[in-house]
């Protein structure tokens, strides 16, 4: 690998996304670590804050090295650490677990799309940090009795081969039991939506703008509906599902710890990640009805994300990611 090769489009895109995500996460963590009551969880959040700082600083250095402007992102202006406590310690712990599930996915993608040695090394180290922090968060959740393990199934006794096309059935005819991978995807998507519903509910309670509040309430309803849909599919196969998460959110509604800009950015980011996970679920499901379900739900949340993006644009909050030069515009108008 060459340390001096100009960064590729993939590398610039990943660095820009890493900076924006670390910027928003660091802002939220600066508040969470001040509000956690449990000493062990508070210490964990301090470590997570340090990891976000590492991501932010290194992404900025690598963008600068490649002559790319540093995004504005988020700062102390977007968070009020003195605001009342909005989420429970259990929420913050599950937030950390999900945060590093996403981080492991994103940093692994960063490694696979890097050919510059310094960028490759950055994402390799970031992947190790994400893995370590995820393990620590899960261990603490298990220790405190708040970690909900995914479902188990009876161990197969023999190796079997599929002999009938009915294996693919979903709408008509007999439906086979869910495969272990299908159960895993349904459960993981339900778990993410459960946390997402709680997150957006808290956001809606403190949003300053009525327009943003209305948008967030709509998102909360969508997330709850998706949780119910996944739960029903699991229940039909006699697979137990965990309870809801309204207890994650306190009754605080007077002072917002986060700017409306941050609330919208984070919500749209969750939806975008959700679309990616639904796409993975489509690719790994062989029952037609479940694959079609994910396709329908993906369309629903894609429209919701677009609505939020338009709201960001109208409020002049949306930073444009790096893009290709518009040659037609240069030809017609030149460069000032």
């Amino acid at each position: 690998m060459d340390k001096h090769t100009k960064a590729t489009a993939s590398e610039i895109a990943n660095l820009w996304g890493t900076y924006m995500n670390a910027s928003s996460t660091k802002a939220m963590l600066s508040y969470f670590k001040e509000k956690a009551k449990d000493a062990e969880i508070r210490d964990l959040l301090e470590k997570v804050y340090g990891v976000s700082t590492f991501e932010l600083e290194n992404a900025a250095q690598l963008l600068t090295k490649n002559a790319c402007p540093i995004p504005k992102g988020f700062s102390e202006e977007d968070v009020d650490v003195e605001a009342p406590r909005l989420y429970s310690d259990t929420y913050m712990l599950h937030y950390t677990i999900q945060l590093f599930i996403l981080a492991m996915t994103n940093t692994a993608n960063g490694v696979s799309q890097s050919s510059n040695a310094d960028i490759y090394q950055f994402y390799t180290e970031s992947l190790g940090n994400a893995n370590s922090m995820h393990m620590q968060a899960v261990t603490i959740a298990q220790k405190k009795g708040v970690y909900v393990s995914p479902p188990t199934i009876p161990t197969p006794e023999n190796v079997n081969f599929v002999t009938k096309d009915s294996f693919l059935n979903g709408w008509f005819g007999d439906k086979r039991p869910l495969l272990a991978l299908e159960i895993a995807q349904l459960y993981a998507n339900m778990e993410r939506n459960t946390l997402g519903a709680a997150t957006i509910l808290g956001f809606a309670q403190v949003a300053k703008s009525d327009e943003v509040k209305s948008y967030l309430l709509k998102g909360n309803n969508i997330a709850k509906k998706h949780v119910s849909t996944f739960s029903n599919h699991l229940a039909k196969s006699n697979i137990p599902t965990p309870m809801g998460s309204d207890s994650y959110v306190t009754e605080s509604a007077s002072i917002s710890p986060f700017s409306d800009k941050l609330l919208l950015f984070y919500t749209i980011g969750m939806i975008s990640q959700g679309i990616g996970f639904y796409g993975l679920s489509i690719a790994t499901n062989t029952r037609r009805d479940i694959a079609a379900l994910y396709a329908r739900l993906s369309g629903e949340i894609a429209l919701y994300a677009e609505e939020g993006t338009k709201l960001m644009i109208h409020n002049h909050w949306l930073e444009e990611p790096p893009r290709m030069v518009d040659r037609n515009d240069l030809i017609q108008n030149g460069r000032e």
Side-chain angles (χ1 to χ4, degrees), residues 177-241:
L178 293 171
L179 303 179
L181 185 55
E182 291 166 343
I183 294 170
Q185 296 289 2
L186 285 166
Y187 185 85
N189 285 315
M190 183 186 68
E191 194 173 30
R192 280 187 284 268
N193 274 278
T194 298
L195 189 71
T199 302
I200 299 175
L201 177 62
F203 286 177
Q205 284 183 190
V206 296
K208 301 180 182 73
S209 162
D210 288 339
E211 194 174 18
V212 172
K213 187 183 293 289
S214 176
Y215 175 76
L216 293 169
L217 287 172
K218 180 177 179 180
N220 177 256
N221 290 332
I222 291 174
K224 285 184 174 181
K225 184 178 69 175
H226 287 206
V227 169
S228 177
T229 300
F230 298 138
S231 178
N232 288 339
H233 271 78
L234 290 169
K236 289 176 183 177
S237 292
N238 298 310
I239 298 169
T241 57

Side-chain angles (χ1 to χ4, degrees), residues 19-31 49 56 70-81 208 256-263 265 317 319:
Y19 185 93
M20 291 296 291
N21 290 332
S23 175
S24 64
T25 300
K26 184 179 178 182
M28 295 186 71
L29 286 167
S30 67
Y31 167 76
Y49 182 82
L56 192 66
I70 305 301
K72 178 176 174 58
F74 300 90
S75 66
E76 295 178 354
E77 298 176 357
D78 296 290
V79 60
D80 179 4
V81 297
K208 301 180 182 73
S256 177
F258 311 117
S259 68
D260 282 4
K261 173 187 172 183
L262 179 54
L263 299 183
F265 176 87
W317 292 337
E319 288 192 58

Side-chain angles (χ1 to χ4, degrees), residues 258-297:
F258 311 117
S259 68
D260 282 4
K261 173 187 172 183
L262 179 54
L263 299 183
L264 270 182
F265 176 87
Y266 201 85
T267 300
I268 295 168
M270 286 193 298
I271 299 302
S272 299
Q273 294 283 357
I275 293 171
F277 282 116
Y278 284 6
L280 175 63
S281 299
I282 291 173
T284 55
N285 275 269
T286 51
R287 246 179 58 177
R288 297 187 186 104
D289 59 329
I290 299 177
L293 169 69
Y294 282 122
R296 178 174 61 80
L297 297 183

